[in-house]
Amino acid sequence: MLKTSIARSAPRTLGGARIAFRPSPFRPVNSYNQRRGYASEAEEKDVVIIGGGVAGYVAAIKAGQEGLKVACIEKRTALGGTCLNVGCIPSKSLLNNSHLYHQIVHDSKSRGIDVGEVKLNVANLMKAKETSVAGLTKGIEYLFKKNNVEWIKGTGTFADEHTLNVELTEGGERSVRAKNIIIATGSEVSPFPGLTIDEKKVVSSTGAIALTEVPKKMLVIGGGIIGLEMGSVWSRLGAEVTVVEFLGQIGGPGMDSEIAKATQRILQKQGIKFKLNTKVLSGDVSDSSISLKVEANKGGKEESLDADVVLSAIGRRPYTQGLGLDKIGLETDKSGRIIIDQEYRTKIPHIRVIGDCTFGPMLAHKAEEEGVAAIEYITKGYGHVNYGVIPSVMYTHPEVAWVGQNEEELKKAGVKYKVGSFPYSANSRAKTNQDSDGMVKFLSDAQTDRILGVHIIGPAAGESIAEAALAMEYGASSEDVARTCHAHPTLAEAVKEAAMAAYSKPIHM
């Protein structure tokens, strides 16, 4: 039996938080039966998707697999959007290789590995990143061809509710009509007031993955995932990194406060400095350096911080510029997100919206799930995305990952819960690998033992969180995980032991 986590009468939830959607009086539209006078019959598509990022290309491939006549409009010269081109993938290349460099320089001797002089080649570091990106974006092109997806290279704008005018990248224009249209235009960097991003001295995440030399000093505005990941890269390579965060903890929304504090302590040991509860007042950019004026949120003495590079990492905002939404009467909320119902439909039922430009966390895997679900709604009338079980990962070292609710959210909701935790310092594989910072933390319902949230800081946390997400998807209890045999010696045993701690008692602590 297929289960749908989004009932038509129920609002979505994100980690326990309810998100209100505009109710839709329209029934699902699976076909456009009333044919109008098309400008060109050859241009008619079952589905046209605006945006070739993670949400858009996944929806396009799924539509092709379902036998639909599909086109994807994308203005970049490569598919994959922000994630593959200037986000998730290139940043992970730099994170992985900078970690290897740091480990060779600082951690090889204790492992019985004597090395000679180690040199950093930033140009080759960037080349390795670009090779990874090129391979993956070409892979999407291959999948488009395999599944009969037409890539229209250009910028699409609504002419009417069924027609898009495309300004082609190579020149000229084209008009395409569709029975169904999916908007998947993603997001863009939120600008910091008073600082102009030039991607050289004042950089966004895009510029932070393309620096040509290691800065002596880097200031990071924003202690969320992007800021900490990029700060980690350049700190490992030799930069003096200071993170300025307005809130009282790092990690951004969703990260459990206990995990956030532990993460900060570990990153501080690695050399990253933090100024929490601090606001940036202004910035002054000169030819030689940048100076930020900051002060404590609750008032205090103004302070100047100098750096060679400033990374602005205060978040992202929906990108819908140039779509011509006003021509068809579509609305956005105060945050710029396009308003939809529980089946991703706007008030025009054959126009759906997925990914970063609408509600929910701006995560690539969330966008992928919506891409599949949107096509299923079009072809089958039902779809599935469980918004309460979408994991988040921060790829620092150690990694930080979580799924479900944190302690603060449970306390606020008045939910009675149990806590079970287990440190990697008691895990045989982590100890053997000399990589034992961190812990696994389970939160389960005090009465039913059903898992409410899992939070991990430690080696390969991003991989281990998948087990927790699968368990939660099937409504498992901490006892279910505790009684499941895990291979020895593995890092995954820490997950089992934390579940045992929530259900009863761990063995190895």
Side-chain angles (χ1 to χ4, degrees):
M1 178 179 177
L2 290 167
K3 73 175 183 178
T4 55
S5 61
I6 308 175
R8 295 192 185 187
S9 60
R12 295 186 194 169
T13 61
L14 290 170
R18 293 166 67 88
I19 294 184
F21 289 81
R22 175 191 294 277
S24 174
F26 303 102
R27 55 185 173 80
V29 176
N30 298 328
S31 64
Y32 178 56
N33 296 319
Q34 295 182 343
R35 300 177 65 83
R36 304 183 186 181
Y38 294 143
S40 171
E41 284 296 318
E43 297 298 321
E44 179 190 356
K45 303 288 184 181
D46 294 314
V47 183
V48 169
I49 297 152
I50 311 172
V54 175
Y57 85 69
V58 168
I61 291 170
K62 181 64 176 178
Q65 290 173 344
E66 294 294 323
L68 300 180
K69 192 174 182 181
V70 57
C72 181
I73 301 170
E74 171 56 51
K75 66 183 179 181
R76 287 181 187 267
T77 56
L79 294 166
T82 294
C83 177
L84 265 69
N85 287 279
V86 293
C88 315
I89 299 305
S91 66
K92 301 312 164 287
S93 173
L94 294 178
L95 281 158
N96 182 67
N97 293 337
S98 65
H99 175 62
L100 289 175
Y101 170 78
H102 189 270
Q103 194 168 35
I104 291 168
V105 173
H106 299 284
D107 195 29
S108 57
K109 190 173 182 180
S110 66
R111 298 173 184 273
I113 304 171
D114 292 329
V115 297
E117 184 181 5
V118 180
K119 293 183 178 180
L120 176 66
N121 188 320
V122 176
N124 283 346
L125 188 76
M126 295 300 167
K127 185 177 179 181
K129 172 201 71 175
E130 290 157 9
T131 299
S132 299
V133 170
L136 289 168
T137 56
K138 290 294 183 184
I140 299 172
E141 284 189 53
Y142 163 76
L143 291 172
F144 268 27
K145 292 175 183 177
K146 178 182 176 181
N147 293 285
N148 299 312
V149 177
E150 181 186 4
W151 176 10
I152 303 176
K153 299 179 182 181
T155 303
T157 303
F158 280 99
D160 59 45
E161 294 178 3
H162 280 280
T163 309
L164 290 161
N165 291 331
V166 184
E167 184 179 341
L168 300 174
T169 303
E170 296 180 353
E173 295 183 350
R174 176 178 171 182
S175 181
V176 59
R177 290 183 64 83
K179 301 170 186 176
N180 297 278
I181 296 173
I182 297 177
I183 301 172
T185 47
S187 60
E188 63 180 352
V189 172
S190 296
F192 190 88
L195 280 177
T196 301
I197 293 175
D198 61 9
E199 302 298 13
K200 293 180 180 179
K201 285 185 173 293
V202 181
V203 300
S204 68
S205 55
T206 300
I209 62 168
L211 296 177
T212 57
E213 61 182 12
V214 180
K216 292 181 180 179
K217 290 184 178 181
M218 171 181 273
L219 291 174
V220 180
I221 305 175
I225 290 177
I226 294 174
L228 295 178
E229 286 185 352
M230 289 295 93
S232 290
V233 167
W234 294 107
S235 173
R236 293 168 189 166
L237 299 179
E240 181 184 314
V241 175
T242 300
V243 176
V244 181
E245 169 56 50
F246 184 81
L247 300 177
Q249 76 170 50
I250 64 171
M255 188 180 286
D256 184 270
S257 63
E258 181 181 10
I259 298 294
K261 290 174 183 176
T263 302
Q264 184 180 341
R265 286 194 298 269
I266 293 170
L267 293 179
Q268 283 174 329
K269 284 196 300 181
Q270 294 175 7
I272 298 177
K273 300 176 183 178
F274 292 91
K275 286 188 171 293
L276 305 185
N277 293 306
T278 302
K279 58 185 175 183
V280 176
L281 300 175
S282 63
D284 181 34
V285 181
S286 67
D287 292 336
S288 58
S289 66
I290 307 167
S291 178
L292 294 184
K293 293 189 183 302
V294 303
E295 71 174 15
N297 289 341
K298 295 182 180 179
K301 187 178 179 181
E302 188 178 291
E303 183 182 0
S304 290
L305 302 175
D306 297 324
D308 306 293
V309 173
V310 170
L311 166 60
S312 178
I314 59 171
R316 300 182 65 85
R317 62 185 183 185
Y319 181 78
T320 58
Q321 295 176 9
L323 279 176
L325 298 179
D326 55 322
K327 294 180 183 178
I328 55 173
L330 290 187
E331 303 166 324
T332 60
D333 68 2
K334 63 182 181 180
S335 298
R337 299 172 296 193
I338 302 175
I339 298 171
I340 57 172
D341 70 4
Q342 67 273 14
E343 295 182 13
Y344 311 110
R345 296 173 298 193
T346 64
K347 66 181 182 181
I348 304 170
H350 65 271
I351 299 177
R352 287 177 161 85
V353 188
I354 57 176
D356 284 5
C357 56
T358 190
F359 301 100
M362 290 183 176
L363 296 170
H365 41 283
K366 172 260 193 186
E368 287 184 302
E369 296 300 309
E370 290 183 339
V372 172
I375 298 301
E376 289 179 334
Y377 276 120
I378 289 171
T379 58
K380 298 179 176 69
Y382 56 82
H384 169 85
V385 179
N386 186 346
Y387 288 89
V389 188
I390 293 179
S392 295
V393 184
M394 184 170 77
Y395 296 89
T396 50
H397 190 87
E399 293 179 353
V400 184
W402 64 92
V403 63
Q405 296 168 279
N406 58 42
E407 279 204 70
E408 293 69 43
E409 290 167 339
L410 293 175
K411 288 175 181 177
K412 187 176 181 179
V415 176
K416 294 182 179 179
Y417 62 94
K418 297 182 295 182
V419 180
S421 61
F422 188 82
Y424 279 101
S425 59
N427 174 265
S428 57
R429 185 68 186 276
K431 288 287 286 184
T432 303
N433 290 349
Q434 298 181 37
D435 193 7
S436 58
D437 281 336
M439 62 185 284
V440 181
K441 178 178 180 178
F442 266 65
L443 302 172
S444 62
D445 187 276
Q447 292 184 322
T448 67
D449 192 39
R450 184 168 179 160
I451 301 168
L452 302 175
V454 178
H455 303 262
I456 307 175
I457 173 174
E463 306 298 330
S464 297
I465 203 65
E467 177 183 0
L470 182 63
M472 290 181 66
E473 181 65 34
Y474 282 89
S477 65
S478 62
E479 181 182 1
D480 290 328
V481 175
R483 291 189 179 277
T484 300
C485 184
H486 289 60
H488 174 78
T490 61
L491 297 172
E493 287 180 289
V495 177
K496 173 185 171 73
E497 295 261 17
M500 293 175 74
Y503 162 63
S504 179
K505 291 182 180 180
I507 295 297
H508 293 94
M509 186 177 70

